[in-house]
């Protein structure tokens, strides 16, 4: 009850209150505020502000409001508390208001944050949705902030395949912010979780958005920035993730787009470039969760021995050449060149014209797929 009360008293990320909690415990902090016994390190003005907030704190009412929408309050030390949040030190949440059927601790065990620009491009929204869906199919939880743009695309991508997704809010879990995402946030709460440090009914502010980002970074095993301008708020999440030792990843975009400037700068500064769910899980997952090898299309020439390739390079692009010229161009003997030319003729790469040789005039063997046809010449 004391921690629930303090979520209405202190702002998220307040390290001074965090130190008080570590030293005195939540009940003693609340009692000191109510009895007007100032604690160390606080100015008189700030103490007065904290006491004013304490007077209107009603944790019982807040717990009832949360329960009405299917919410609950999770404290450090509870079975549902994700221990990775303790990495925030004195800035860790006092507690978390959680709404949804899942266990926060369990869904956060294999989770990746996906953040980016609110005013994203179609490219960014597509990439975010595809990545989120593929990660969810692999059993990963996609965590984001519920905002317009990349956040919304990530949540929708996970929901589209029936995966788990968590929305970390900068307001109460009973509020739909932004209002245009009311339906989306309800879907997230129905199948995943909505999480907030602020009690029911509280509204977002710019500072609360910034503090919300530290929870996203700490809760997950890695952060993927899909699209971001140089001053994007998602870069705050990225910096937090890097500072906490989490994996930091970024998706590249067109160099002509200002919304790719932030992700490109992250890559220059050391973030890992990713373009698929496999690459994300290789970094954020357990040892041995490797991305599958990319299968590139092979053309027939790729299968030739190096000596045969040198013979092909020695033949002119147009016209024919004699055996001596071919051997000299390939830096080999005429006998070795002739043997390779006969092999290439059987494979359909070259043809003989009198006592000279030329590239086959049929479909190109250099770029065409499939098995080359065999040419027979008298």
């Amino acid at each position: 009850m004391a921690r629930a009360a303090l979520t209405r008293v202190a702002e998220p990320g307040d390290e001074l209150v965090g130190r008080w909690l570590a030293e005195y415990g939540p009940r003693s902090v609340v009692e000191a505020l109510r009895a007007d016994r100032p604690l160390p390190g606080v100015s008189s003005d700030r103490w007065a502000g904290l006491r004013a907030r304490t007077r209107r704190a009603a944790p019982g009412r807040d717990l009832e409001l949360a329960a009405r929408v299917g919410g609950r309050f999770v404290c450090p030390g509870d079975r549902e508390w994700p221990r990775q949040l303790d990495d925030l030190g004195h800035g860790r949440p006092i507690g978390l208001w959680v709404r949804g059927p899942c266990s926060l601790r369990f869904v956060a065990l294999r989770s990746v944050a996906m953040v980016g620009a609110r005013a994203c491009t179609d490219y960014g929204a597509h990439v975010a949705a595809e990545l989120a869906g593929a990660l969810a199919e692999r059993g990963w939880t996609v965590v984001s902030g519920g905002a317009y743009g990349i956040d919304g695309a990530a949540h929708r991508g996970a929901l589209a395949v029936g995966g788990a997704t968590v929305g970390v809010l900068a307001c109460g879990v009973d509020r739909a912010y932004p209002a245009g995402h009311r339906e989306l946030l309800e879907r997230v709460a129905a199948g995943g979780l909505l999480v907030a440090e602020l009690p029911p009914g509280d509204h977002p502010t710019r500072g609360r958005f910034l503090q919300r980002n530290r929870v996203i970074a700490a809760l997950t095993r890695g952060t993927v920035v899909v699209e971001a301008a140089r001053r994007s708020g998602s870069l705050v999440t990225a910096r937090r993730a890097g500072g906490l030792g989490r994996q930091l990843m970024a998706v590249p975009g067109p160099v002509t787009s200002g919304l790719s400037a932030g992700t490109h700068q992250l890559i220059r500064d050391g973030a890992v470039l990713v373009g698929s769910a496999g690459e994300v899980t290789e970094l954020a997952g357990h040892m041995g969760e490797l991305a599958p090898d990319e299968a590139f299309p092979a053309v027939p020439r790729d299968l030739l021995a190096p000596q045969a390739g040198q013979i092909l390079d020695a033949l002119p692009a147009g016209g024919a050449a004699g055996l001596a010229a071919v051997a000299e161009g390939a830096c080999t003997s005429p006998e070795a060149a002739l043997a390779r030319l006969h092999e290439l003729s059987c494979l359909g790469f070259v043809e003989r014209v009198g006592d000279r040789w030329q590239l086959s005039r049929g479909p190109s063997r250099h770029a065409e797929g499939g098995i080359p046809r065999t040419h027979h010449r008298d």
Side-chain angles (χ1 to χ4, degrees):
M1 292 293 283
R3 283 186 177 271
L6 287 171
T7 63
R8 195 168 285 283
V9 174
E11 284 294 313
D14 190 326
E15 295 196 2
L16 176 60
V17 175
R19 286 194 292 272
W20 291 344
L21 289 172
E23 186 170 351
Y24 305 110
R27 284 192 296 180
S28 295
V29 172
V30 172
E31 289 169 0
L33 285 163
R34 288 173 175 165
D36 195 15
R37 296 195 305 270
L39 295 171
V42 65
S43 67
S44 58
D45 289 338
R46 188 174 180 201
W47 182 255
L50 292 173
R51 290 202 68 230
R53 287 186 173 191
T54 302
R55 284 192 289 269
R56 63 182 179 85
R61 180 195 61 195
D62 288 337
L63 290 166
E64 181 182 343
L65 289 174
R68 289 180 187 174
V69 294
R72 56 196 178 276
F73 186 63
V74 179
C75 296
D78 288 349
R79 293 184 63 183
E80 194 177 350
W81 182 259
R83 295 178 185 173
Q84 59 267 37
L85 291 178
D86 298 343
D87 292 348
L88 292 170
H90 293 311
R92 77 174 180 180
I94 296 168
L96 288 173
W97 299 90
V98 180
R99 176 185 172 194
C102 301
S103 164
L104 177 59
R105 180 184 175 190
F106 288 140
V107 296
L109 287 175
R110 281 170 56 88
S111 63
V112 172
M114 193 169 298
V115 297
R118 285 178 171 81
C120 67
T121 65
D122 291 341
Y123 161 81
H126 173 77
V127 170
E130 289 291 317
L131 272 179
L135 285 166
E137 287 179 327
R138 291 168 176 256
W140 284 76
T141 302
V142 177
V143 178
S144 199
Y148 290 131
I150 298 299
D151 288 16
H155 290 308
R156 291 188 185 95
L159 291 169
V161 298
T165 184
V166 174
V168 182
L169 308 181
C171 57
V173 293
D174 59 336
R175 290 181 62 110
Y177 190 91
H181 274 180
R182 180 181 298 276
E183 182 181 351
L184 174 61
L185 294 174
E186 290 293 333
R187 291 174 60 201
V188 172
L193 289 174
L194 293 178
V195 177
E197 292 182 80
L198 295 158
D202 248 3
H203 62 278
T205 64
R206 184 177 183 278
R208 290 172 173 178
F209 279 119
L210 294 175
Q211 291 298 328
R212 178 272 309 269
N213 293 341
R214 86 193 194 288
V215 176
I216 294 176
L219 188 63
T220 53
R221 301 182 68 167
T223 293
V224 182
V225 183
V226 175
E227 202 171 44
R230 288 191 181 276
R231 291 179 57 83
S232 172
S234 58
L235 300 184
V236 176
T237 308
R239 288 191 288 271
R240 287 280 192 172
L244 290 166
R246 307 299 195 259
Q247 293 290 345
L248 179 56
M249 298 156 275
V251 176
V255 295
T256 53
S257 171
L259 288 174
S260 297
T263 53
H264 292 174
Q265 187 61 51
L266 286 175
I267 294 169
R268 285 171 57 88
D269 292 342
V272 179
L273 185 154
V274 294
S276 70
E279 292 170 350
V280 173
T281 57
E282 183 177 278
L283 290 166
H286 296 295
M287 185 177 295
E289 285 191 69
L290 302 179
D293 292 333
E294 294 288 343
F296 295 100
V299 298
R301 176 158 183 172
D302 295 337
L303 306 177
L304 294 177
Q307 298 88 346
Q310 291 169 357
I311 295 296
L312 278 182
D313 290 340
L315 287 167
L323 178 60
V326 174
E328 181 181 343
C331 195
T332 189
S333 67
E335 293 78 15
L338 183 60
R340 300 288 86 77
L341 284 167
H342 282 306
E343 292 173 2
L344 291 168
S345 177
C346 291
L347 293 171
F349 284 92
V350 303
E351 55 190 10
R352 190 168 185 171
V353 182
D355 61 350
R356 297 165 71 82
W357 296 86
Q358 68 181 20
L359 296 174
S360 175
R361 295 186 181 278
S364 172
R365 300 278 78 86
H366 296 261
E368 184 183 305
I371 301 174
R373 294 173 295 171
T374 301
H375 292 265
H376 296 281
R377 295 187 63 86
D378 296 333

